[in-house]
């Protein structure tokens, strides 16, 4: 799965998505809300079922059974309109080399 999301105070919209049938979620169900306050970092949950931030999340407990999450903030000058996210159905590690390639993804 892969997503490009936009987030406001109430919702998160998946403006580009592959493998996720959901088009938007309420902000309180947004995985990416954890990445927004961490510019320059990649937020990772190698196994969402054992991560306190996500263990009771509807997308973990039900379809599509998200088991890993990695997300990074997209930045446009001083504005951060959303995130680039890679969720998946199998728990796994997200190596530091992969995290480094995501940091600071500027958008024109």
């Amino acid at each position: 799965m892969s997503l490009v999301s936009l987030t406001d105070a109430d919702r998160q919209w998946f403006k580009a998505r592959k493998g996720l049938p959901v088009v938007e979620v309420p902000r309180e169900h947004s995985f990416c809300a954890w990445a927004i306050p961490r510019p320059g970092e990649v937020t990772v949950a190698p196994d969402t079922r054992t991560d306190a931030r996500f263990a009771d999340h509807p997308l973990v407990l039900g379809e599509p059974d998200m088991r890993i999450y990695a997300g990074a903030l997209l930045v446009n000058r001083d504005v951060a309109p959303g995130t680039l996210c890679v969720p998946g159905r199998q728990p796994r590690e997200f190596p530091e080399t992969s995290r480094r390639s995501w940091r600071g993804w500027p958008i024109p």
Side-chain angles (χ1 to χ4, degrees):
M1 290 184 258
S2 59
L3 311 165
V4 174
S5 73
L6 300 177
T7 307
D8 71 8
D10 302 314
R11 295 179 288 177
Q12 177 182 20
W13 295 276
F14 303 117
K15 299 314 267 180
R17 61 189 177 15
K18 177 73 175 169
L20 184 69
V22 179
V23 176
E24 70 178 61
V25 295
R27 175 77 181 246
E28 65 266 15
H29 290 160
S30 168
F31 277 70
C32 298
W34 290 96
I36 291 170
R38 294 169 182 79
E41 295 180 30
V42 179
T43 300
V44 176
D47 187 342
T48 57
R49 288 186 182 175
T50 62
D51 190 303
R53 299 170 293 180
F54 307 116
D56 63 351
H57 193 284
L59 296 177
V60 172
L61 298 174
E63 283 297 318
D65 189 30
M66 292 168 80
R67 295 294 304 279
I68 181 176
Y69 169 81
L73 193 62
L74 296 172
V75 178
N76 182 3
R77 294 191 178 98
D78 296 329
V79 178
T83 56
L84 171 66
C85 317
V86 179
R89 291 189 173 104
Q90 299 295 322
R92 65 182 178 91
E93 292 299 318
F94 198 76
E96 181 60 30
T97 54
S98 296
R99 293 178 197 210
R100 277 194 304 267
S101 69
W102 279 34
R103 288 190 184 121
W105 265 40
I107 55 175

